[in-house]
Amino acid sequence: MAKLTFTKTLNVILLGPPGAGKGTQALAIAASFGLRHLSTGNLIRHNIQAQTPLGRQAKEFYTRGEYAPDHLVVAMVKEELCARELEKGVVLDGFPRTVAQAEALDQTLAEFCQQVDAVIEIRSDTEEIVQRTEGRRVCPRGHSYHLSKNPPRVAGQCNLDGLPLQQRVDDQPETIRKRISVYREQTQPLLNYYGKKHLLRKVDGSQSIEDVTGSIQGILSALDAE
Ligand code: AP5
Ligand code: MG
């Protein structure tokens, strides 16, 4: 992965429906700009697996394809952001998802004298994202593959850490439909929130993985030149 330089601190949010490619792109963008990758979905799955108090509270929502309560997710993100220096910045994958979460994020970043620098909406149509989520397989560390669109080099095994790939419990057809409707109801209003702040940029998520990465890199590099 080619390293790109960004001279300022960069805090970028990836928005998009389930299966749009947030996780795939967050990894690529974090690697190319040297940023931290923070995925609330991965954090919740980790807490559920480790049976922490937070995991126990979030599990029923996660399994039904609903959002975990704002206060739980905000507390989890604050803890992660405060645990280490923000250094060059962070790619937020799946957070915020509600206006209340966005307001809490603005407050938390302000405590570090930082702000949200860009919000990238990855757009994709419903049929495509249903196919992507149904065929997705993930490793326990959150690396994501697709049986036909993005297969691992060795079937059933993560390219990066060799761990076995599994299907997520929320990638069943009914739960996927539920997650898409929850996104429309609760997260689409955020597009307006960030649009008003002139932070929102859109990319076509139906392109190849590499082309989506290139589009996002182009947007972020142009920001650095401003
Ligand atoms: P989360 O894990 O974030 O799930 P999601 O938002 O539903 O998004 P996905 O992870 O399903 O998709 P993605 O956009 O990351 O796509 P990916 O890159 O994997 O959250 C899960 C749950 O946790 C939520 O439902 C909720 O319960 C809870 N939660 C999380 N955050 C929360 C918050 N802030 N507040 C409250 N609750 C929260 O790609 C998908 C597939 O497509 C992969 O197989 C990939 O290989 C393939 N692919 C990707 N890009 C392309 C491409 N361009 N072309 C072809 N294939 C592609
Ligand atoms: Mg994801």
Side-chain angles (χ1 to χ4, degrees), residues 49 58 74 95 116 198:
Q49 203 175 10
V74 167
F95 181 88
V116 173
H198 307 290

Side-chain angles (χ1 to χ4, degrees), residues 125-184:
D125 68 42
T126 304
E127 202 182 310
E128 172 74 11
I129 61 186
V130 168
Q131 280 180 23
R132 285 188 191 175
T133 38
E134 281 182 356
R136 173 172 42 199
R137 296 294 180 271
V138 293
C139 92
R141 294 197 182 129
H143 305 127
S144 199
Y145 299 86
H146 189 276
L147 290 176
S148 59
K149 296 173 192 283
N150 180 26
R153 282 192 291 271
V154 177
Q157 198 175 304
C158 179
N159 291 347
L160 300 174
D161 45 38
L163 293 170
L165 302 180
Q166 294 166 337
Q167 190 166 27
R168 275 172 38 176
V169 288
D170 61 339
D171 275 348
Q172 300 303 322
E174 246 178 56
T175 323
I176 294 167
R177 277 193 289 279
K178 173 76 183 176
R179 284 160 55 208
I180 293 170
S181 79
V182 169
Y183 175 83
R184 289 202 181 116

Side-chain angles (χ1 to χ4, degrees), residues 16-24 40-42 44-45 61-62 65-68 73 93-97 101 128 132-133 136-137 144-146 149-150 168 170-171 179 205 207-209 212:
K22 301 182 295 295
T24 304
T40 42
N42 286 351
I44 289 174
R45 279 184 285 280
F61 298 98
Y62 178 89
E66 294 169 7
Y67 288 168
V73 184
D93 154 12
F95 181 88
R97 290 190 201 226
Q101 292 180 15
E128 172 74 11
R132 285 188 191 175
T133 38
R136 173 172 42 199
R137 296 294 180 271
S144 199
Y145 299 86
H146 189 276
K149 296 173 192 283
N150 180 26
R168 275 172 38 176
D170 61 339
D171 275 348
R179 284 160 55 208
Q207 305 172 89
S208 70
I209 291 176
V212 178

